[in-house]
């Protein structure tokens, strides 16, 4: 009888532990739309490629969400994000890719104003610098991108027009003597 009582007690405890674990797991989950939409970074968010803190640098930022990974991958510069997206060996399934609309975000301390990276317009070659030096200024509207290019220089391109060599990471901070 004692053996049967201990066995029943173990089952009850295991069942309770399992329910508690499920409950805790559910607490941290968001609905699907919240988890695939853009997130905003906090003061401790660091770049997935180089560990730089996003909040400490000017210019547009980026974020990727992979289908097989719950955590947001942050990029302190759009060139880093675009280089990652456009690499020929990039085969991981994406859930979402976002950049900031610099027509709305403050260049020196950009926060919020996230747009889909694959529908954005980019200005490459402008005089404005991001965290890694030369950057790709991102915009939701072509008119805003053209206005920026008129003021700061550069060429306006749609995402579909970007090529890997245009966002090559071997340039940027490595060859920018002003940093």
């Amino acid at each position: 009888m004692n053996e049967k009582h201990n066995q029943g007690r173990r089952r009850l405890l295991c069942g309770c532990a399992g329910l508690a674990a499920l409950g805790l797991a559910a607490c941290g989950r968001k609905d699907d739309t919240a988890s695939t939409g853009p997130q905003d970074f906090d003061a401790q968010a660091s770049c997935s490629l180089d560990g730089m803190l996003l909040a400490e640098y000017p210019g547009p930022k980026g974020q990727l969400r992979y289908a097989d990974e719950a955590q947001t991958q942050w990029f302190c510069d759009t060139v880093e994000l675009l280089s990652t997206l456009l690499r020929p060996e990039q085969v991981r399934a994406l859930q979402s890719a976002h950049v900031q609309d610099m027509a709305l975000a403050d260049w020196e301390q950009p926060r919020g104003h996230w747009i889909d990276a694959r529908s954005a317009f980019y200005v490459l070659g402008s005089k404005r610098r991001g965290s890694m030096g030369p950057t790709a200024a991102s915009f939701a509207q072509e008119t805003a991108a053209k206005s920026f290019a008129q003021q700061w220089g550069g060429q306006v391109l749609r995402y579909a027009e970007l090529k890997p060599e245009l966002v090559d990471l071997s340039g940027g901070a490595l060859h920018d003597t002003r940093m």
Side-chain angles (χ1 to χ4, degrees):
M1 182 78 175
N2 199 11
E3 171 94 20
K4 223 177 195 179
H5 178 70
N6 284 340
Q7 210 173 25
R9 187 172 178 202
R10 269 190 228 123
R11 283 186 182 151
L12 177 64
L13 288 174
C14 286
C16 289
L19 286 174
L22 283 174
L24 286 174
C27 286
R29 291 182 63 169
K30 297 178 182 174
D31 64 31
D32 286 344
T33 55
S35 66
T36 61
Q39 309 295 312
D40 217 356
F41 58 91
D42 60 27
Q44 275 64 53
S46 63
C47 180
S48 298
L49 295 182
D50 56 29
M52 292 172 62
L53 294 177
L54 275 68
E56 292 184 0
Y57 298 93
K61 314 294 181 225
Q63 59 180 285
L64 292 179
R65 298 288 304 267
Y66 292 106
D68 62 349
E69 190 175 313
Q71 190 169 349
T72 299
Q73 299 298 307
W74 295 106
F75 297 86
C76 61
D77 194 282
T78 51
V79 172
E80 291 178 327
L81 175 128
L82 293 169
S83 176
T84 300
L85 282 176
L86 297 173
R87 280 188 294 194
E89 67 274 14
Q90 175 61 273
V91 293
R92 290 179 73 184
L94 279 177
Q95 193 173 52
S96 63
H98 292 90
V99 292
Q100 292 174 298
D101 183 354
M102 297 313 290
L104 302 173
D106 176 4
W107 191 275
E108 295 305 316
Q109 295 183 329
R111 294 289 191 276
H113 306 289
W114 297 100
I115 57 174
D116 187 308
R118 294 164 288 191
S119 64
F121 295 89
Y122 296 91
V123 179
L124 277 71
S126 81
K127 294 174 190 154
R128 296 297 313 249
R129 299 291 183 244
S131 64
M132 301 302 290
T135 192
S138 47
F139 297 90
Q141 303 295 321
E142 186 175 22
T143 54
K146 285 181 177 180
S147 177
F148 178 89
Q150 193 170 30
Q151 181 178 0
W152 297 99
Q155 178 184 12
V156 177
L157 297 169
R158 298 173 190 273
Y159 176 80
E161 297 172 309
L162 295 173
K163 305 288 181 243
E165 58 272 11
L166 295 174
V167 290
D168 182 14
L169 291 177
S170 64
L174 294 176
H175 301 288
D176 188 353
T177 57
R178 292 176 295 238
M179 293 184 77

